[in-house]
Amino acid sequence: MEVISTIKFQKIKKSAECLREYMNTFLGMLSTVSNYTDIFPQPSQKATRKLAVLVSSEKGLCGSLNSILFKHFDTEYDKLKDNLDVYVIGKKGIEFCTRRGYTIVGKLHLSDSFSSSDLQDLYNMLQKAQTTERYKEVKVWYNFFKNTMKQIPAGFQLFPLSSKQFAKFMHTFEIKIPQPEHNRNTHYMKLEPSSSVIIQKAYDIMMNVIVYGAILHNKTGEFAARMLAMKGAKDNASTIIDDLTLAYNKARQDAITKEVLEIVSAKTVIEQ
């Protein structure tokens, strides 16, 4: 299982690199549009509820990866359950939210090798959350993969989103943000089919990419944690095997020594 987790870990790292390349291209277009108009919509004043997207693993054997994230999530929302809806990704998260009494409005099971199309139901949910003016805040909770030895529980606010928050997220993912062209004259810029459509589409893409990146980080952290957990289990099993082998050899040697002594004693008695 350690070898399998290592192989999956290396594969998903390639997906993270592809995401970074895509974002570098997308942000180039986005920086130009942001010079023309504000692309970050604000929530309705009538909205009262909150939506949380909780990303967890489908399987266990990954150390304390899920439990630490659930602890942070519970600390944030334990007293806000009446005004909170939760969209859960992963079997472990579904079991946790059901056990703790959270209102689950959506569930999603993902395989180890997932694609953006597998998240379409979640994307539709996020888009609906904006258009229906039901939620005043949307957050995604996941394990941020810092390195092989460390995964950090994180809660990122998807909505309302500001340029500062988005820039911070891109910096976290080590994605280079193109510098806006401050001197460019955008007075005569024309957006097709309309500025509102472009803004909404750009914001939808941003939310989708952030969610996809969060899930990708959580999967990467899951494989890294499982790889270390299985390595620890293998080392512990090897230590136990060595100890048991030593104990067996000692017991076997004691039995042999006892039999030899009995034979020698019997021979001595017979000779007398």
Side-chain angles (χ1 to χ4, degrees), residues 199-256:
I199 292 171
Q200 184 61 47
K201 187 63 177 178
Y203 192 78
D204 289 342
I205 293 175
M206 277 192 295
M207 290 189 70
N208 295 349
V209 169
I210 290 174
V211 170
Y212 182 81
I215 297 174
L216 199 62
H217 259 255
N218 197 84
K219 280 288 185 182
T220 307
E222 177 188 344
F223 294 143
R226 185 171 292 118
M227 180 177 64
L228 293 177
M230 292 301 100
K231 182 179 184 303
K234 184 189 71 174
D235 294 342
N236 292 336
S238 298
T239 302
I240 292 174
I241 290 173
D242 292 340
D243 292 341
L244 290 176
T245 302
L246 180 61
Y248 169 77
N249 289 335
K250 286 182 177 180
R252 178 173 173 270
Q253 188 63 45
D254 290 341
I256 294 173

Side-chain angles (χ1 to χ4, degrees), residues 53-57 64-75 96 140-144 152-155 218:
V53 180
L54 179 60
V55 185
S56 65
S57 67
S64 59
L65 184 77
N66 290 312
S67 59
I68 295 177
L69 176 63
F70 295 160
K71 183 178 180 181
H72 282 75
F73 182 87
D74 209 28
T75 302
F96 165 76
V140 57
W141 290 82
Y142 66 103
N143 284 291
F144 174 74
I152 304 173
N218 197 84

Side-chain angles (χ1 to χ4, degrees), residues 111-127:
S111 61
D112 291 338
S113 56
F114 68 97
S115 63
S116 182
S117 59
D118 298 327
L119 305 175
Q120 193 58 50
D121 181 64
L122 175 57
Y123 294 160
N124 295 337
M125 177 69 181
L126 293 175
Q127 187 175 10

Side-chain angles (χ1 to χ4, degrees), residues 82-100:
D82 293 338
N83 291 319
L84 177 70
D85 292 336
V86 185
Y87 190 102
V88 194
I89 300 176
K91 179 182 177 182
K92 296 300 180 181
I94 295 172
E95 293 174 350
F96 165 76
C97 290
T98 302
R99 185 171 62 251
R100 293 291 296 164

